[in-house]
Amino acid sequence: MLDSFEIVTTSGVVLWSRTNAFVGAHVVNSLINDVFIEEKVRPQVSETAEGPSQCKPTYRYEKYTLKWTLVKDLGLIFVESGSLDCAILGLF
């Protein structure tokens, strides 16, 4: 199940957020901090149904799996988060 979807700037400001189940702000904050600011976690790359050319980076925190798409031209990050057993992540 897709628990939440956020649109975040590369500086960490949340522009838009939609949640289907409660996901604490600390989950997205840890993604931004660990991956983008401190670069202490190298994201895993998982393949989508379209094949290896459409890979999405994956970050796991507590019981959540987060996938994101970075649009450098606009300075935006589209973040999807769901439970670890979620198979539908990767909508973007």
Side-chain angles (χ1 to χ4, degrees), residues 30-45:
S30 69
L31 168 76
I32 293 167
N33 189 40
D34 292 349
V35 176
F36 296 105
I37 296 174
E38 293 184 10
E39 296 179 353
K40 54 182 184 178
V41 175
R42 293 187 64 79
Q44 303 170 356
V45 177

Side-chain angles (χ1 to χ4, degrees), residues 1-2 6 8-9 11 24 26 28 30 36-38 40 64 76 85 88 90-91:
M1 182 173 145
L2 182 64
E6 287 90 15
V8 183
T9 65
S11 60
H26 68 285
V28 176
S30 69
F36 296 105
I37 296 174
E38 293 184 10
K40 54 182 184 178
Y64 298 102
L76 297 176
D85 59 349
I88 64 165
L91 300 175

Side-chain angles (χ1 to χ4, degrees), residues 15-89:
L15 298 176
W16 187 83
S17 178
R18 176 69 178 196
T19 59
N20 294 326
F22 177 76
V23 177
H26 68 285
V27 175
V28 176
N29 288 344
S30 69
L31 168 76
I32 293 167
N33 189 40
D34 292 349
V35 176
F36 296 105
I37 296 174
E38 293 184 10
E39 296 179 353
K40 54 182 184 178
V41 175
R42 293 187 64 79
Q44 303 170 356
V45 177
S46 61
E47 295 182 12
T48 62
E50 289 80 28
S53 63
Q54 297 292 325
C55 294
K56 298 249 180 254
T58 302
Y59 174 76
R60 291 191 175 183
Y61 183 78
E62 293 179 355
K63 66 176 186 173
Y64 298 102
T65 299
L66 290 87
K67 293 188 178 183
W68 70 89
T69 301
L70 174 64
V71 181
K72 289 184 181 180
D73 296 342
L74 300 175
L76 297 176
I77 306 166
F78 297 89
V79 181
E80 311 165 37
S81 60
S83 305
L84 284 178
D85 59 349
C86 181
I88 64 165
L89 287 180

